[in-house]
Amino acid sequence: KQWYQRRVRGRKRVWEVEPNDSIRFTVIRHPLSRLVSHYRKTMTSPEDQDAFRDRWIKAAIIHARRNRAWSAEKQRDYEKEMDDMLRLDAENPKGSPDNPYLALPTFPELVRFILDVHEPKRLNKHWIPIAQRTDICQNDLDIVMKLENEQNELPYLLERLNLSRFTDDLMSVKRNPSGGKIVAETEVEEHLKLLSKNEQKQLNKLYQIDYDMFGYEPVYV
């Protein structure tokens, strides 16, 4: 048996024992596809808007639209109205006609929030670089499967796991709208068109480590 150490958010966790014949693997996809997929699903799902309200939606809106000329009272009132709008259990939320916080964040506003506010080590799990999220080097993975090439790579993974008998069933599973379905390259490009050239450059720079490590290409439009 082989001993290894797991880490959670950079902190040491318990030591665990791992059989010698275990297979360490992870499944990845292009980081821009992952980002666009998360944004798209969140903007069309009231449940997700409620779930991510305090994780990034409110912060991205405030970062993009706050007017420092507002009084502290007006700022609080606007934020309260925004919070009510985003709550799944809110009943007939009402807002001031002049409150700019009542519209969901645009994709450029999310990207500017990511680039301006978040330090690399504090990035949300939906847009942190894959190499940082999975601790590739520390985990000494045996297989890294690209979701874009699932048709070819999933059967190999199942074979290594001695689960080939489930291949047909798993290959026919309908993927959920976010985690399993690859966002079309054209949809990624349509979202990137909303960004300035410099924002595209900075966003691709954020994921350069993934491009280098996993063979993905940056996307510019």
Side-chain angles (χ1 to χ4, degrees):
K1 293 183 177 181
Q2 172 186 5
W3 290 92
Y4 72 103
Q5 191 175 43
R6 298 186 65 186
R7 294 177 179 272
V8 177
R9 295 179 183 175
R11 297 194 300 272
K12 294 181 179 179
R13 203 162 77 173
V14 298
W15 288 83
E16 298 183 4
V17 65
E18 177 185 13
N20 287 329
D21 60 352
S22 64
I23 302 295
R24 299 183 189 179
F25 71 92
T26 190
V27 181
I28 65 174
R29 57 175 162 168
H30 195 291
L32 294 181
S33 172
R34 184 162 53 100
L35 174 61
V36 170
S37 175
H38 174 63
Y39 173 78
R40 181 190 62 182
K41 185 171 184 290
T42 303
M43 294 302 100
T44 57
S45 167
E47 291 79 10
D48 279 13
Q49 291 162 23
D50 182 72
F52 294 105
R53 179 182 68 250
D54 293 322
R55 299 188 193 181
W56 68 263
I57 295 178
K58 290 196 301 185
I61 291 173
I62 293 172
H63 176 68
R65 305 173 193 170
R66 181 179 181 183
N67 187 334
R68 298 192 180 278
W70 292 338
S71 66
E73 181 180 7
K74 175 175 282 192
Q75 175 71 20
R76 285 194 300 269
D77 290 344
Y78 281 174
E79 290 186 23
K80 176 62 169 58
E81 292 175 356
M82 172 180 57
D83 196 60
D84 290 342
M85 175 194 73
L86 294 170
R87 287 186 180 279
L88 192 60
D89 59 356
E91 296 182 2
N92 300 318
K94 297 180 180 179
S96 306
D98 60 344
N99 186 350
Y101 289 171
L102 299 184
L104 291 169
T106 65
F107 185 69
E109 287 175 340
L110 170 59
V111 170
R112 291 176 197 129
F113 174 68
I114 293 172
L115 297 177
D116 293 347
V117 176
H118 279 275
E119 299 176 0
K121 292 183 179 180
R122 299 176 58 192
L123 288 170
N124 183 290
K125 67 179 183 179
H126 291 92
W127 52 73
I128 190 172
I130 304 165
Q132 294 180 22
R133 183 181 180 189
T134 56
D135 287 334
I136 292 290
C137 297
Q138 292 90 333
N139 282 318
D140 190 24
L141 297 169
D142 298 295
I143 298 174
V144 177
M145 189 184 98
K146 288 185 177 180
L147 200 56
E148 294 89 346
N149 199 27
E150 180 184 40
Q151 292 292 319
N152 296 321
E153 297 185 8
L154 180 57
Y156 172 75
L157 174 61
L158 294 174
E159 180 182 355
R160 289 288 305 274
L161 296 172
N162 294 318
L163 296 173
S164 295
R165 61 190 180 279
F166 298 114
T167 300
D168 291 341
D169 291 336
L170 290 174
M171 295 295 283
S172 64
V173 171
K174 183 178 181 181
R175 305 304 182 194
N176 67 65
S178 176
K181 184 178 180 181
I182 293 296
V183 172
E185 183 177 345
T186 54
E187 187 168 356
V188 172
E189 291 175 350
E190 287 301 314
H191 280 76
L192 290 181
K193 285 179 181 178
L194 302 174
L195 306 178
S196 69
K197 295 298 183 183
N198 185 59
E199 288 167 341
Q200 292 182 36
K201 179 180 179 180
Q202 292 301 312
L203 189 60
N204 278 290
K205 182 179 179 181
L206 174 65
Y207 296 118
Q208 188 62 52
I209 186 174
D210 288 344
Y211 302 155
D212 293 341
M213 186 170 288
F214 305 114
Y216 286 118
E217 295 293 332
V219 182
Y220 295 96
V221 293

